[in-house]
Amino acid sequence: MSADNFSRSGRQLHKMQLRVLLMAASGILITALLAGLSTVWPFYRAAHQNIANLTQISVEAQAQALHNQLGRYQDMAQQFTSRTEIRRRLSAYAEGKTDLPTLQAYTLPRLQDAMRQAPAALGLIRFGPNGEEIVRLGTVPDQFQRNTDHPSDYPYQLHYLPDGTVLVQSCAPILNDSGIPIGMDVVFFDARLLLNLFDDNGWLNSAGIQLQDTQGLHEIFRQNGVFSIRPLATVPATDHQEHFLLFSAPLNNGTWQLTLNLPDTYFKDQITGLLLWPTLVIFSLAVGGALLVALGMRPLLQRLSRQSLQLRESEQYLRQAASVFRFAREAILITDPDFNIIETNPAFTDVTGHSAVRLKGQSLRTLLVEREELDKKIGKVQEELTSTGSWEGEVHYQRADGRNMVALQTISAVHHNDGKLVRYIHIFNDITEKQQAAEVIQHLALHDELTGLPNRVCLEQYLGRILAERDAASPMLAILFLDLDRFKEVNDTLGHQAGDELLKIVTSRLQASVRADDLLARLGGDEFILVLNPVHEADNAARVAAHIVQALAEPFHIHNTNTRIGVSIGIALCPHHGSTIDSLINAADSAMYQAKQGGRNTWRFAPRHVS
């Protein structure tokens, strides 16, 4: 072969080698990138869904907080109607026993006093039995509508005043002793307490927030670091609605609703932070693998088998490295089909405190709290994993320091190409603080703020439950209606702060006078309800009442002054005086007034039949 031909063949062979190397390197690089993409894409979708689920949970928690605040508005509105003597004067007016000026002269100062005790209430209008205006107090809008269909169901609507004040309107019916409506209170509260619930949520800065009441739509926005609200005639239209995600949650039965519009970039930024490091690792491994293959293909024929093996090993390594997601902020662990731990990520250690080295090989069951129902619960989880390939729910873990933790967990099954189950991937987020916050809000909704006792809502729930469980063989239960004597004199002479202190001391004495299983509730003002369950004899209830009268007859040391009060107690027995909540409370209330008429600081049983 001539030198020219040899040179030409060498150049052709060199070009062919370069072409083969380039094709091989390109093939390896593309294969690795596709393998990484096929691994990252499902995680991208799962991460997007998890973030969306957490956002929905946050929106529902925010809606629950708003719902509880609106419920407190309505409770405060109903407290205005529960003042017994004012209600009785209105009842007398409704029956034609007194005239309107006399009623107004009596009602005005007492409702003014009630308004001073409720700083959140900015204005109040009391209407009579025929819709006539009895009293108007504080700040009220020029125009408003009364919710006559369901006046005590929920706060009705928002009002905007010219000076920038935003009011929440609540309507509460006024009932006489027979439960017949004789009027209505329309109370206007400061909406600032609602807006303050948004202050500590930094993630709301990028969201469009809308609140819908019975009359329309309102926009909540941040201005100078403070959340404000303004009316919104229609839902704002955008030119690119596909770039926004909508989250909504009802506040009650659907008349009020909280809606958030989050830009899609919010989710992309969150997911980008999760995928950045795994993507860089995959890309670096892909480039490195391609370079190694290119260098290792000399000579091509001699090292072809080794290159094929390196390609398979490189692809397997890339898949395993991408599946771990060590840089994810969610806690992730991998188990075999029997729930034995194979590997955990650093976030799992940060959340639970358990060492990854110590956990490896242990059963996931050892970390769970509900061990008495563990086998039954795990059986249900495995059934759903077998049928659907995934499971999501709440799991209670025990941290390394012994504290319990509530996790929102997703379990996904991983199968071989032949369909054989090889492992489970568990991803979860710690929602312990959110659950604790919800429990605190629930407690505040059911208890009196001043004394810490159960309020009317909690009392009615308790009575409804125990009355529903009663049957013919159940023992009696007793309702004691307590009304403090001469409490108004303490308020008038020593001030409302002294009155509040007196109520706290009265609460302590009452709690010391009853059993731990009995329920003591405060209705409002100086009225309390005590539920004795069970009561085997009527004399037992009488002895408790006498003990309470004696306990409250002792002097109280308030603001360096010794003062005395008393208590009038009415006793109603179930089933003798009624079998429903209203009938028992009304019977006890009637007996209490008999005790007052009998000289105060004593007790009376209700008559056999009470209208």
Side-chain angles (χ1 to χ4, degrees), residues 77 80-81 111 124-127 170-174 183-187:
F80 284 102
T81 68
L111 288 184
L124 179 147
I125 301 178
R126 169 158 290 191
F127 293 95
S170 290
C171 300
I174 307 172
M184 176 183 296
D185 279 346
V186 181
V187 188

Side-chain angles (χ1 to χ4, degrees), residues 421-452:
L421 176 65
V422 292
R423 65 189 59 180
Y424 291 120
I425 298 178
H426 309 251
I427 304 175
F428 69 82
N429 291 276
D430 185 1
I431 60 172
T432 306
E433 293 183 357
K434 291 184 178 179
Q435 282 210 342
Q436 292 173 347
E439 291 173 358
V440 169
I441 293 173
Q442 180 69 12
H443 177 81
L444 293 175
L446 297 178
H447 290 78
D448 178 56
E449 183 176 359
L450 176 64
T451 63

Side-chain angles (χ1 to χ4, degrees), residues 21-22 24-30 32 283-298 303 307 310-311 314:
L21 289 173
L22 180 60
S26 300
I28 294 298
L29 182 60
I30 293 173
F283 181 78
S284 300
L285 291 174
V287 174
L291 291 176
L292 289 175
V293 169
L295 294 175
M297 288 183 66
R298 298 174 182 176
R303 305 184 65 178
Q307 292 171 2
Q310 289 177 345
L311 286 174
S314 178

